[in-house]
Amino acid sequence: MAADVTAFGDAAFGDAVFGDAVFGDAEEGLARAVLAGSPDAIVALDRDLAVLSWNAAAERLFGWPASDLLGRRAPIVPDELMAEHNAVLERVRAGGRVSLTTKRLHRDGRLLDLRVDTSALCSPGGALLGYVSVYHAAEDDDAAHGRMVRRARLVRRLTDVVGDINAELDLPVVLDRIAASLTELTGADAGGFVSIEGERLRLVGVHQLPETLRGATAGLHTSLVAKLLRTGKTVLLETGPEGFQDLIWARLPGLHTIAVGIAAVGGRPYGALYALFARRKASHLELELLELLAGHAGIAVANAMAYQDAVRQRAHERAVFDASADGIAVLDGSGAVVRWNPAAAELTGHPADRVIGGPPPFPLPAPGEKLTFQLPSGRWLDVLCAEIRETGETVVDFRDVTRAKELEEAKDLFLATTSHELRTPITIVHGFASTLDSRWDHLSDEGRRSAVHTIAERARSLGQLMDHLLLGARAGAEELKVRVEPFDLAARVHAATLGLPVLSDRHRLEVDIPPDLPFVYGDALATDILLAQLLENAFKYSPDGGLIRVEAWPEDDRVVLVVDDEGVGIAEGDRERIFERFVQADSGNRRRFGGVGLGLYIVRNLARAQGGDVAALPRSGGGTRMRLVLTSAGSSS
């Protein structure tokens, strides 16, 4: 180009400009390249204001080629601004540098708004050779200033946006806020946040996108996210639309540019921000803001995830704490209760609002030890303690062991009772057998017959006791086998009560069974055992005699049979306990009536095995009513 060749003029210009300085070809070539490549117009004048240098940018700005102006005054200063121009040169000659916004003439007569920076052109020895002016359009300054102002405003807004995002700890809300902030800061037409889930991307945050897209997925390996991850950078600007027509969020009408930024959590990519441009343009400023927002988004997501983990952990701990069947209390460093779960309130009878802030309503063992303690209510507790050294708190765990204590006592009583029940007939059998063995010839036939009869009766008692023990063991193991078929309950009652009136001269027996009593479903043999035990109990627990009444009647689809006695009765609190193993109603003298506490346990298990049930009720006027219910077979024949 002519401008490039004539940028410095001829050799005389070179001598004038650089004086006695010695420049090699390389330095001179570099100087020419700098002038030719400068985006700003650079004009050098001699002391008489003739043009010494007029670079290519000056040609483009003013419309004058360098060949027309070298050695001449450039006609670019309007007449009305000549005084301003001379004042600038005067100040420059005095050793200053002047920068001002002014006007200059284009070759076609147009006035140009320019910014001019003017300084002195001096020789290496300091002699004034002329002047150098650098021109650029004033609007470029305005645009640059506008960009800086906008960038500063957006960066300030970014601070507010980050604070707003971090103020929310609900992860889905955080993701939507990130998408919304993305569009605000970058000027995008829509925004989205995708999470990386293995080999897929899932759209989890949307702004200005159809809500129906939320939750949609796309493959990772063919996505812009994968392309960005392969580059190792944090942001990517992709133009299309050919490059992203397969994306689900490419449904945005007119989409032409996508900016993508990676959000990392814990140093690993968690997801990506998508800024979608359909009407607006994206610039480097938008990319810079996207990169900044992506970094803050990763922090906000990490905070929300940590909060959700903490919430889930607290919810889990609360669920375990509240749902525990054990009583759990947490005490502070001073021993005051700070947490008290529902089981603790149920076990102790002390609600949380009455306990919190004070000591627990029972003594505590040393840490790591166990204390068994009985509450005033009669309930037994096993209490354990553990210290939390990090907080100085103490966790107290306690459970109800009343049933275990009762069972332990019942087993002890069972062993003692069984030993007694076995020893008495065995002693009698042994005594009579020894007598027969040693005194057979000395006994009369009647004496020998009486001894053998006694041995037989006691052996029968032993057999009955063994039957009860065996039935009790089978019932406890849920191994009672019964047949369920129709049978005549009335016949079984008559058979069970046939010989009873002659067994006691203190008791009266009445049986009231209607002739049309329906058959029942069940096992006839099991019912024989059941009836025998109910009748035996009626006789045994009415030692002073009285009426024993057996009655039956149909009731809806059931048949009810009751055995009433006028005996000692059963305390209200024992009416369910007597059906447990090894338990007898406490009548003041627990050995008064004998037995091992298995009879009614067997009765209930036999009744339930047949689809029925049995219960103990108080009898009007004193005594007990045992009520047996079986399923009606619907016919008496």
Side-chain angles (χ1 to χ4, degrees):
M1 290 174 52
D4 292 335
V5 174
T6 59
F8 284 91
D10 53 18
F13 165 68
D15 292 339
V17 174
F18 300 111
D20 55 2
V22 179
F23 287 89
D25 292 340
E27 288 83 352
E28 185 177 345
L30 177 61
R32 285 197 176 107
V34 170
L35 286 172
S38 172
D40 292 330
I42 301 176
V43 176
L45 307 176
D46 63 13
R47 284 175 296 188
D48 296 327
L49 305 185
V51 175
L52 295 173
S53 175
W54 187 269
N55 72 346
E59 289 184 342
R60 292 191 297 272
L61 180 63
F62 295 109
W64 293 95
S67 57
D68 289 353
L69 295 181
L70 288 175
R72 297 175 50 203
R73 288 197 174 197
I76 60 175
V77 180
D79 292 340
E80 65 271 19
L81 296 177
M82 189 59 70
E84 175 191 77
H85 178 58
N86 292 332
V88 168
L89 298 180
E90 183 64 29
R91 183 172 177 182
V92 168
R93 280 195 297 273
R97 178 178 176 276
V98 177
S99 178
L100 80 161
T101 300
T102 185
K103 295 182 183 295
R104 290 292 184 265
L105 287 169
H106 190 272
R107 185 177 183 179
D108 61 10
R110 287 182 294 115
L111 284 174
L112 304 175
D113 291 319
L114 301 176
R115 181 167 190 82
V116 186
D117 296 314
T118 303
S119 57
L121 178 65
C122 299
S123 69
L128 178 67
L129 301 177
Y131 313 94
V132 177
S133 295
V134 179
Y135 299 87
H136 52 270
E139 64 184 20
D140 292 343
D141 276 353
D142 294 339
H145 177 70
R147 286 193 296 271
M148 293 300 295
V149 170
R150 179 169 177 264
R151 184 183 185 282
R153 177 178 59 80
L154 289 175
V155 169
R156 286 195 300 270
R157 179 57 187 150
L158 175 64
T159 302
D160 297 335
V161 165
V162 169
D164 185 50
I165 294 174
N166 284 318
E168 181 58 56
L169 293 173
D170 183 17
L171 184 58
V173 176
V174 168
L175 298 176
D176 280 349
R177 286 193 178 183
I178 291 172
S181 302
L182 175 65
T183 60
E184 176 186 352
L185 292 172
T186 64
D189 297 287
F193 190 99
V194 298
S195 61
I196 302 173
E197 301 177 1
E199 302 299 317
R200 305 289 293 175
L201 298 177
R202 183 179 300 277
L203 186 61
V204 291
V206 296
H207 184 71
Q208 300 298 335
L209 285 172
E211 187 63 28
T212 54
L213 291 180
R214 187 187 299 275
T217 63
L220 171 63
H221 291 299
T222 58
S223 69
L224 295 178
V225 176
K227 182 177 180 180
L228 177 56
L229 290 173
R230 287 192 293 269
T231 67
K233 299 177 181 179
T234 55
V235 293
L236 170 71
L237 190 68
E238 185 80 0
T239 58
E242 294 81 7
F244 40 79
Q245 282 301 319
D246 59 331
L247 294 180
I248 51 175
W249 36 87
R251 300 176 193 174
L252 188 69
L255 178 65
H256 58 75
T257 303
I258 295 180
V260 184
I262 295 295
V265 174
R268 302 186 63 179
Y270 171 83
L273 290 73
Y274 275 75
L276 311 178
F277 295 88
R279 297 184 301 273
R280 302 183 180 92
K281 301 291 184 182
S283 68
H284 291 291
L285 176 58
E286 278 68 45
L287 279 180
E288 180 185 355
L289 290 169
L290 173 62
E291 185 173 18
L292 292 173
L293 182 60
H296 288 290
I299 297 172
V301 169
N303 290 340
M305 292 173 64
Y307 175 76
Q308 287 197 340
D309 287 343
V311 169
R312 280 194 295 268
Q313 180 66 22
R314 283 197 297 269
H316 174 73
E317 292 173 356
R318 170 60 66 181
V320 171
F321 184 80
D322 289 346
S324 173
D326 284 4
I328 302 176
V330 179
L331 315 182
D332 62 17
S334 64
V337 176
V338 293
R339 296 185 67 184
W340 187 258
N341 76 339
E346 193 278 329
L347 289 174
T348 63
H350 293 274
D353 56 0
R354 205 164 71 197
V355 175
I356 289 178
F362 47 76
L364 300 179
E369 297 182 3
K370 181 174 74 173
L371 172 67
T372 301
F373 176 78
Q374 188 175 28
L375 295 171
S377 63
R379 177 170 281 168
W380 287 89
L381 301 179
D382 270 355
V383 186
L384 295 168
C385 287
E387 290 183 347
I388 305 176
R389 294 184 179 179
E390 292 79 3
T391 62
E393 296 174 317
T394 301
V395 177
V396 183
D397 181 278
F398 47 98
R399 63 183 56 183
D400 185 358
V401 293
T402 304
R403 297 297 296 274
K405 290 285 288 184
E406 289 176 348
L407 182 59
E408 183 181 345
E409 292 178 358
K411 287 181 177 179
D412 290 342
L413 178 61
F414 166 73
L415 291 174
T417 302
T418 305
S419 299
H420 180 275
E421 294 292 321
L422 288 171
R423 181 171 295 279
T424 299
I426 289 174
T427 300
I428 294 174
V429 168
H430 179 267
F432 276 93
S434 297
T435 300
L436 289 174
D437 180 50
S438 62
R439 294 179 57 80
W440 180 270
D441 293 335
H442 300 284
L443 294 173
S444 63
D445 288 344
E446 184 179 353
R448 287 193 291 266
R449 192 175 293 109
S450 176
V452 171
H453 177 75
T454 301
I455 291 173
E457 284 295 315
R458 294 302 177 175
R460 185 187 64 78
S461 298
L462 283 172
Q464 186 179 36
L465 175 60
M466 297 310 297
D467 287 342
H468 278 192
L469 292 175
L470 180 60
L471 282 171
R474 290 170 58 193
E478 298 183 355
E479 295 178 354
L480 281 178
K481 304 297 183 184
V482 299
R483 298 165 58 187
V484 178
E485 59 185 7
F487 72 91
D488 188 353
L489 178 63
R492 310 319 299 178
V493 173
H494 287 304
T497 59
L498 183 60
L500 291 179
V502 300
L503 295 180
S504 171
D505 56 1
R506 296 192 303 273
H507 294 86
R508 292 181 297 110
L509 179 66
E510 291 183 4
V511 179
D512 184 4
I513 305 294
D516 58 347
L517 185 70
F519 280 23
V520 296
Y521 284 111
D523 188 307
L525 293 179
T527 303
D528 285 346
I529 297 171
L530 188 156
L531 291 172
Q533 185 62 51
L534 291 180
L535 290 168
E536 179 183 335
N537 277 11
F539 275 87
K540 183 166 67 174
Y541 288 101
S542 54
D544 299 328
L547 175 65
I548 294 175
R549 179 177 175 82
V550 181
E551 185 179 1
W553 64 87
E555 188 175 284
D556 298 328
D557 59 345
R558 314 283 271 178
V559 172
V560 178
L561 181 142
V562 297
V563 177
D564 291 341
D565 66 61
E566 297 178 339
V568 296
I570 303 172
E572 182 178 357
D574 290 334
R575 288 175 193 153
E576 275 298 309
R577 292 182 63 248
I578 60 173
F579 292 102
E580 298 174 11
R581 282 192 294 180
F582 319 133
V583 174
Q584 290 179 320
D586 191 353
S587 60
N589 179 359
R590 303 190 70 162
R591 292 297 333 125
R592 179 181 178 189
F593 301 107
V596 294
L598 285 173
L600 291 178
Y601 174 75
I602 294 170
V603 164
R604 173 165 278 184
N605 278 274
L606 286 173
R608 290 180 173 175
Q610 299 177 81
D613 205 351
V614 65
L617 305 171
R619 176 183 171 276
S620 178
T624 300
R625 163 171 285 192
M626 302 301 292
R627 187 175 191 270
L628 170 67
V629 180
L630 294 174
T631 303
S632 172
S635 173
S636 60
S637 61

